[in-house]
Amino acid sequence: MARAAALGLIIATMLFIQWFAPNLPGTPRTVALALGFALVAASLLGGVAERLRLPRLSGYLIFGLICGPYLLNLITATMARELRLVNGLAIALIAFVAGLELNVARLRPQLRAMFIVGATAILGMFTVLLALLWLAWPWLPFPDPGGPLARLAAAAVAAMLVVSFSPTVSIAVIADSRARGPLTELVLAVVVLGDLFLILMFAIAMQLARWSTGGASDVNVLPQLAWEIGGSIAFGAIVGALFALYLKLVARELTLTLLALCALLAALSPILHFELILAALAAGLVVENIAPPEGDQLKTAVERGALPVLIVFFAAAGASLQLDALAVIGWIALAVAAIRLVLVRSMTNIGVRLARLPEMPGGLVWMGLVSQAGVTLGLATIVAAEFPGWGTAVQTLVLALTGLHVLAGPVIFRAALARAGEIGRLDAE
Amino acid sequence: MRRADSSEVGSDALDARVPRATWAAALRAVLPARRAALGVGATAAPSLVFIGLGVVLGPGLLGVVSVEALRHLDAVVSVALAALGIFVGLEFGALTRAGGARPLLAAATTEATITIAVVAAAMFLLLSRWSLPVPIEPGLLAGILGISSCASAAVRFDGPVTPDVAFASRIADLEDVPLIGLGAVVVALAAGGLPVAANVLAAAVVGGGVGLAGVLLFERAESAAERGVFVTGAVLLLGGVAAFLNASPLLSGAIAAVVWVRMRGAADQLVRADLRRLQHPLVALLLIVAGASVQFSLAVLWIAAPLVLFRLTGKLLASAATATIAGVAPGVLGTVLAPPGVVGIALALNVQQVTGSAEVLVSSVTVAAVASEVLAAALLSRPGEVA
């Protein structure tokens, strides 16, 4: 009751100040306001979601959606853009936390199986979606790429985007649920390996699209990929090693240091053309596997540092959901989402059988691969920029799909973790 | 009038004391001035060091803190101002809850009013005659300079202090209350847009609303991490709303803090515990931003130089009058209240934010604060020696 009253007060405050907005000179400054409102209100809605046995981050997303520009507009489009300032920091933090969860010694016996599951799921989904999209292209509201080969290339790019899943959301659900166990480790490893795989395949698909449409091929694509992947891992490993040294020798103000480290990774990765998720993951892996910290200091620091960043990140994601994309391409997006859901389940289960994994948690792995978020949107933006015609149409489809999957994915994955009995086991250890 | 004893010299969050070893090692061999002037030992706020750092790092010299960076730091400054207001409000609220605050508040208000009146009147006369190229109307500028001048940094001492010194220290803490109140009015005047009353009222209402929300949330957080989120969110809201309305974050923060203190529960203690680690970084940040915002010019010199003299004069006159009423030694009061505080600089930064063009004001107030600090240390004896 007290929390509801507090939420009411905060919303009333936002409405109260917006009453003054027309009389304010110039452009109001809204960064701190957006952050403060998102932190408090989204956190409260996250608590409500938890009581309804949903992931807390669903509450953050729903907060963003309801208060965002398309509905209540308490968070305006400008404020939603400002909230996305923490995106880099959030992604780095989430990936770092994932790295901390991956103990190589424990995972080594299952690495081959994880690779088989991931490769089967991705390649299987891609093949079927490629065929479907190529066949259905003339009936879709997408401009003609020009010629069968160009259509194949465009379908390949679109299929790649539809297949891609969000390691960020899956890892965030695991962190939010304090989950630990075979399913958690399996999904973590699959999304991480899958992310690597998708980067490679996306680059190849884009090359094919450039070549087929008569555009200039990028001859440096292989060295670029090598730099992007290898360089990211090396860079992250160095940063992780330095942090591990700090933990051993100093171990003070860990929350601030951790946030500063993630901010550093987020700031430098685009400049150096590194893949932020890989770099941060590598940093976490090094800390966990080479110089594991003693005691609960790092765990406490992660909890204190991660929570506000996650809240703002997912609130921003909710506020940035393009509901008009759903209005434009809704039925098609629903159909594609349904097909994707069927494919992710069937292909993952095939992979599980090929890898000879046990029924539980093998049969639940697919539920961790439903989410789509920032990675997919980022790739779609690249496509739209390079191929303005059909690329923009594909981007609209991806926007709609992401909206559906970012809302449904965490709910489905959390249900899987609950069925596997892994929620809260991190605290029990 | 009841006089405070030494046991009542509380820990004002604004009296950000830096450990001696940190500064002494770095500065002892370099600057031969009295330790108080360097922010080492007795003086609470090492404004010289951080302002100097800001000047060196600022656009005028190294450019590490560039104009673009200062623009990006605007939101952080608003939040820092709100936090500063919270610190003032926590102390004020605690004092009113403890009882016996009215005489102290009356003395502080008297002292502040006289200081403001002397400085504002003198500066108005000068500004009207000189016609300096400043974007703020002379009357308003004089008012802002007067109000920012009344801030004092209390001196902290090791060991027992006399009752007069303890009383003076309390006055220094409470002076920030009328400063914040009047400061909110001048900020509203400088901002324009909304009517002054609406601007001030909106800031106050928001402070009260966020304060109430905090009372409902802080003690009901499910974990320390969640409580940290609520406290951080509340501070961000206070600073953010004030920034949105072009109002005073100092006022919003102070009112929220008073609500936390006066309402039943431990909200004030939880906020104090969570914000404690941010005290030094926030004050340091404000001073560095102020230093980086300093633009040396003839206008700044023409304003800062008389401001220092008028401030010292106003402080001594006000201390003499207040001491007579309160029955304490005037010399002690004047000495303790002479060093300038951070809240005056914070007010100038706030005015710069809402006008977007008050660099002369910030520069003058900052330079004057540094000069006042040196002057106070060089000319005035330590209160212990006086007593």
Side-chain angles (χ1 to χ4, degrees), chain B residues 52-374:
Chain B
L53 189 63
V55 170
V56 168
L57 294 176
L61 285 176
L62 294 180
V64 172
V65 181
S66 62
V67 172
E68 188 68 18
L70 282 174
R71 210 171 50 82
H72 286 307
L73 284 173
D74 181 79
V76 181
V77 168
S78 296
V79 175
L81 293 175
L84 211 58
I86 290 172
F87 295 144
V88 173
L90 286 174
E91 292 307 317
F92 175 65
L95 188 66
T96 55
R97 191 164 66 179
R102 216 171 282 181
L104 282 168
L105 191 56
T109 307
T110 305
E111 197 275 338
T113 306
I114 296 172
T115 306
I116 292 169
V118 167
V119 175
M123 289 307 299
F124 179 67
L125 281 170
L126 283 181
L127 290 169
S128 317
R129 279 173 176 261
W130 289 344
S131 303
L132 292 171
V134 288
I136 301 176
E137 189 258 319
L140 182 59
L141 180 59
I144 297 169
L145 292 170
I147 294 167
S148 63
S149 297
C150 84
S152 303
V155 185
R156 299 282 310 279
F157 298 95
D158 295 324
V161 295
T162 63
D164 285 2
V165 170
F167 176 81
S169 187
R170 274 271 177 249
I171 297 296
D173 288 344
L174 286 173
E175 267 183 327
D176 297 328
V177 174
L179 185 155
I180 286 176
L182 289 170
V185 174
V186 297
V187 165
L189 281 166
L194 294 174
V196 171
N199 184 307
V200 175
L201 197 62
V205 165
V206 166
V210 173
L212 270 173
V215 169
L216 293 168
L217 290 175
F218 297 159
E219 287 184 270
R220 291 175 179 81
E222 287 166 3
S223 64
E226 192 182 45
R227 192 186 67 232
V229 165
F230 289 150
V231 172
T232 308
V235 179
L236 280 165
L237 266 176
L238 290 167
V241 170
F244 182 84
L245 295 173
N246 286 331
S248 170
L250 289 166
L251 180 67
S252 303
I255 288 180
V258 170
V259 169
W260 291 329
V261 173
R262 296 310 299 261
M263 295 287 282
R264 208 173 284 185
D268 57 323
Q269 290 163 39
L270 293 170
V271 168
R272 201 187 288 268
D274 276 354
L275 288 185
R276 193 189 306 276
R277 56 181 49 214
L278 294 178
Q279 279 177 280
H280 293 175
L282 282 175
V283 171
L285 175 77
L286 279 178
L287 293 172
I288 288 172
V289 168
S293 303
V294 166
Q295 292 175 9
F296 292 102
S297 67
L298 220 50
V300 168
L301 206 60
W302 280 115
I303 294 174
L307 183 60
V308 172
L309 286 173
F310 292 144
R311 182 185 179 274
L312 189 61
T313 308
K315 277 290 173 193
L316 292 175
L317 282 174
S319 301
T322 309
T324 307
I325 299 168
V328 298
V332 170
L333 197 57
T335 307
V336 170
L337 298 181
V342 175
V343 185
I345 296 175
L347 175 63
L349 281 171
N350 193 188
V351 172
Q352 185 187 33
Q353 283 185 314
V354 302
T355 58
S357 59
E359 289 79 15
V360 171
L361 169 67
V362 171
S363 305
S364 306
V365 169
T366 307
V367 168
V370 169
S372 296
E373 180 100 19
V374 174

Side-chain angles (χ1 to χ4, degrees), chain A residues 2-3 24 29 33 56 253, chain B residues 74 226 243-244 246 277:
Chain A
R3 287 177 162 238
L24 296 171
R29 293 167 289 147
L33 179 66
R56 289 184 72 102
E253 296 294 344
Chain B
D74 181 79
E226 192 182 45
F244 182 84
N246 286 331
R277 56 181 49 214

Side-chain angles (χ1 to χ4, degrees), chain A residues 325-370:
Chain A
L326 269 172
V328 164
I329 203 161
W331 288 113
I332 296 170
L334 277 170
V336 173
I339 294 169
R340 182 180 181 273
L341 202 64
V342 168
L343 285 174
V344 87
R345 181 172 187 169
S346 50
M347 293 303 162
T348 309
N349 287 344
I350 291 171
V352 163
R353 256 181 248 125
L354 286 174
R356 297 204 187 99
L357 286 171
E359 184 66 31
M360 173 77 93
L364 301 172
V365 175
W366 71 271
M367 296 167 91
L369 306 181
V370 173

Side-chain angles (χ1 to χ4, degrees), chain A residues 103-114 289:
Chain A
N103 186 294
V104 172
R106 206 169 55 228
L107 290 175
R108 193 173 286 142
Q110 304 172 65
L111 270 177
R112 185 181 156 275
M114 291 167 177
N289 291 280

